[in-house]
């Protein structure tokens, strides 16, 4: 570069020297120098104009204007930069096309929207699964096309840790699992997965468990009935049969409890217990359950206390809530040694309503806590042989709470007792309407 530059300078100086010499020949060296400078300036201006025209004209040919000297180099360098730029552009365009092609080939629907939900881009599967139209729907708000209120709530909540399950707005038989991710300037990447097959399998499983339990109930009731009669007349039986009959009776009533819980769980899961917006008097409900719990406690003489700090009613299905609360309270009785204490309390605060069942019992190792609500999960199978539990109690509690927009919190450590807290949202509380007399 330095070498070129001194060459240009030399050329200019030689040119100017020549014009000065010609001027000297005519007795006017200064005029000759001036003329040389004017010619150089004119030539520079012409080159600058050519460059300007080439740059300003978008339809200009790829090749820049040809020139010599300094301007020739400038044109050549510009040409190189321009070609490199075009190459990068081509490469980027090819990459974008590839990403779009691969996203288009995906079986999941992919949609990009801005922060407010205006749709910017989506793939072919999104068109099929959600019924979007390429030419018509660009720029539309996604809430206008997916009108399910749960979707709007999910989109606006900005908490996308768990996916959302909805039916496709265009093809209601398709079940979709929606997952949203935030990217860029608060934009959203929405992925819609077709989970119809999974949904049907899950439905089949529920139906199967429900049907089998129903079918087993009748024969089991007959067997239990006869066994009970036999137990009642145990004195008349040969001694070697008595033990067998007693064990059979105990096992059949255990099986009955299991079937009852299975049927209840499948009803709660399939929503057969429709959640009418009935109101539950939690105070009265807890008083009844604790009365039964005292009977269950029997000789163990637990100290069972109930504390209710809010007289408002809870919106929800009373029989489901009864199952959930009694499972927690009876568990406390089952897993607390004699003379232990069990405190049941119902309280409300800004976050909502909370039912706490706290016992001074055997406690649970924290490693088991995340799995306790799974069906048939037991913290320590060896210590539950004599509790008569079905292993379904906490699964029932979990599903009842899900149906009531609530959740279960478990605090426990071995030997220090446990606390099970059911949290309900504030919206589920309703004022008690004063009863009109005359009933
Ligand atoms: P189960 O019929 O066995 O009681 P649950 O689903 O009601 O089944 O409870 C699951 C497991 O959780 C129980 O087997 C027991 O290990 C543990 N558990 C539940 N409640 C308590 C409690 N209050 N104290 C100690 N362990 C408990």
């Amino acid at each position: 570069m330095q070498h070129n530059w001194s060459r240009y300078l030399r050329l200019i100086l030689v040119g100017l020297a020549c014009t000065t010499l010609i001027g000297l020949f005519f007795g006017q060296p200064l005029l000759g120098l001036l003329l040389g400078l004017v010619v150089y300036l004119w030539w520079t201006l012409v080159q600058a104009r050519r460059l300007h025209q080439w740059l300003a004209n978008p339809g200009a040919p790829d090749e820049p204007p040809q020139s010599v000297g300094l301007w020739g180099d400038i044109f050549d360098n510009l040409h190189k930069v321009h070609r490199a730029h075009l190459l990068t552009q081509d490469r980027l365009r090819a990459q974008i096309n590839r990403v779009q092609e691969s996203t288009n080939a995906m079986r999941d629907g992919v949609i990009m929207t801005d922060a407010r939900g205006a749709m910017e881009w989506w793939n072919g599967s999104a068109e099929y699964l959600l019924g979007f139209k390429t030419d018509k729907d660009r720029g539309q708000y996604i809430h206008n096309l997916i009108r399910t209120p749960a979707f709007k709530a999910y989109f606006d909540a900005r908490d996308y840790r768990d996916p959302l399950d909805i039916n496709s707005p265009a093809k209601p038989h398709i079940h979709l699992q929606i997952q949203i991710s935030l990217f860029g300037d608060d934009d959203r990447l929405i992925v819609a997965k077709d989970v119809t097959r999974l949904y049907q399998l899950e439905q089949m499983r529920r139906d199967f468990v429900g049907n089998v339990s129903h079918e087993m109930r009748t024969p089991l009731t007959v067997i239990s009935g006869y066994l009970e009669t036999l137990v009642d007349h145990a004195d008349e039986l040969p001694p070697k049969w008595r033990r067998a009959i007693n064990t059979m009776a105990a096992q059949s009533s255990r099986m009955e409890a299991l079937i009852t819980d299975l049927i209840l769980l499948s009803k709660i899961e399939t929503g057969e217990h429709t959640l009418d917006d009935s109101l539950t008097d939690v105070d009265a409900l807890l008083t009844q359950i604790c009365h039964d719990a005292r009977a269950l406690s029997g000789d163990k003489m637990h100290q069972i206390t109930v504390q209710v700090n809010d007289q408002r009613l809870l919106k929800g299905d009373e029989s489901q809530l009864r199952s959930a609360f009694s499972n927690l309270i009876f568990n406390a009785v089952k897993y607390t040694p004699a003379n232990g204490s069990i405190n049941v309390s119902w309280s409300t605060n800004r976050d909502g309503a909370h039912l706490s069942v706290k016992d001074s019992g055997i406690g649970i190792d924290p490693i088991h806590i995340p799995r306790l609500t799974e069906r048939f999960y037991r913290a320590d199978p060896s210590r539950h042989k004599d509790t008569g539990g079905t292993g379904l109690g906490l699964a029932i509690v979990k599903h009842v709470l899900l149906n009531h927009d609530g959740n279960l919190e478990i605090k426990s450590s071995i030997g220090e007792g446990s606390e099970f807290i059911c949290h309900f949202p504030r919206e589920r509380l309703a004022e008690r309407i004063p009863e009109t007399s005359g009933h």
Side-chain angles (χ1 to χ4, degrees), residues 376-398:
F376 302 114
Y377 188 86
R378 276 158 175 152
D380 179 0
S382 63
R383 20 175 231 186
H384 301 299
K385 286 201 184 99
D386 48 354
T387 60
T390 61
L392 293 170
L394 292 182
I396 292 175
V397 175
K398 178 180 139 184

Side-chain angles (χ1 to χ4, degrees), residues 331 334-335 359 364 372 377-379 384 389-391 393-394 418 420:
N331 271 354
K334 282 192 297 186
Y335 300 110
D359 62 52
I364 307 158
L372 275 191
Y377 188 86
R378 276 158 175 152
H384 301 299
T390 61
L394 292 182
S418 322
F420 289 75

Side-chain angles (χ1 to χ4, degrees), residues 289-299 304 333:
I289 299 174
C290 286
H291 180 265
D292 296 345
R294 284 190 192 98
L296 181 69
S297 164
D299 299 341
I304 304 180
V333 173

